[in-house]
Amino acid sequence: MVTRAESAAVTRRALLDAAAQLLDLGGPEAVTLREVGARAGVSRGAPYRHFTGKDSLLTAVTTESWQRIADQVQALRTDPALSASARLRGALHTLVGVGRDQPHLYQMLFRRRGHRPEELGEGLDRVRRQLCGPGDDPIADRVRAAGRFQDEFLAIVADLVGERNTRHYGALLLTSAHGIADMELSGHLDTDRLRTTADELIDTLVRMVADAGRTV
């Protein structure tokens, strides 16, 4: 016999999956609670029993995405068969791969402060949050998930450059990877004109950081 909690968990899972699919298909504008509910095959009111509005739903989607990326980077970090350079290369490919395969999600993950859905707080969703208030803090959950990814990534970087230089080179690598992903996503990484690819640039970054690690 299915308990109420188990049924609620199944519904929440279906809503998150439906929202992620709609985001991939049409971006944030395609994600509405009505459309998410219809795609998930639940009642019209079901989404509102799990999320205060569209903003909190998208926040939950991005939180799960950061958790999934962090899991992938952790698997690379703890793989004894990989060299330190291979782990870093894999982590960078993981991040750039999200931009390549799920561009709408990638943009959600890296929206500027004040432009994330949960920070806009407009209209009915803001009212629902004030009146109802979620049982937990979805914004804090997202921040923790993104922070976990960063911690896993920095641990990989530390293996190449040492603890003292980890944050400097970590920031250099993350901003470079973001630039690569953004250039590729926008179509400005023109292989005919620049005569390189995202994968070649990642290989160059890894070699540069590995060489720097040997000289510090």
Side-chain angles (χ1 to χ4, degrees):
M1 188 176 189
V2 178
T3 66
R4 182 175 297 180
E6 289 170 337
S7 177
V10 170
T11 299
R12 179 181 171 86
R13 177 75 269 149
L15 292 169
L16 286 169
D17 290 343
Q21 292 165 7
L22 288 168
L23 179 63
D24 284 344
L25 289 171
E29 294 77 13
V31 182
T32 65
L33 264 67
R34 176 174 293 185
E35 187 62 31
V36 167
R39 193 177 188 88
V42 299
S43 67
R44 183 172 295 184
Y48 296 95
R49 291 194 289 272
H50 292 268
F51 303 98
T52 59
K54 172 178 175 174
D55 292 355
S56 64
L57 174 57
L58 285 173
T59 298
V61 170
T62 56
T63 297
E64 284 202 341
S65 298
W66 275 125
Q67 291 169 341
R68 183 169 59 253
I69 295 169
D71 287 342
Q72 293 170 338
V73 175
Q74 182 184 37
L76 290 165
R77 180 179 62 79
T78 57
D79 188 341
L82 296 177
S83 66
S85 292
R87 291 169 186 167
L88 178 58
R89 187 177 295 106
L92 292 171
H93 276 295
T94 296
L95 194 58
V96 172
V98 177
R100 181 179 295 159
D101 300 332
Q102 297 178 280
H104 295 300
L105 172 63
Y106 186 85
Q107 291 175 337
M108 291 287 297
L109 292 172
F110 289 98
R111 285 195 179 197
R112 287 182 291 121
R113 196 177 292 274
H115 289 73
R116 297 187 180 94
E118 72 276 6
E119 291 171 339
L120 296 176
E122 298 295 339
L124 291 176
D125 194 61
R126 182 179 182 182
V127 175
R128 292 190 191 98
R129 284 202 301 271
Q130 290 174 339
L131 293 177
C132 304
D136 53 3
D137 187 344
I139 300 175
D141 290 342
R142 176 185 53 74
V143 170
R144 280 192 293 270
R148 180 177 162 241
F149 155 75
Q150 190 174 89
D151 289 343
E152 292 290 348
F153 182 81
L154 290 176
I156 289 177
V157 176
D159 288 339
L160 276 176
V161 302
E163 291 290 343
R164 185 168 64 88
N165 298 290
T166 294
R167 295 189 180 278
H168 175 77
Y169 283 103
L172 175 65
L173 286 162
L174 287 174
T175 53
S176 298
H178 184 52
I180 292 169
D182 192 54
M183 287 279 284
E184 187 177 63
L185 180 59
S186 64
H188 288 101
L189 189 56
D190 188 330
T191 55
D192 292 332
R193 179 169 296 181
L194 297 177
R195 297 182 180 178
T196 191
T197 66
D199 295 340
E200 290 172 345
L201 291 172
I202 288 174
D203 287 342
T204 300
L205 279 171
V206 173
R207 285 197 302 271
M208 290 171 60
V209 171
D211 289 344
R214 284 191 283 270
T215 60
V216 294

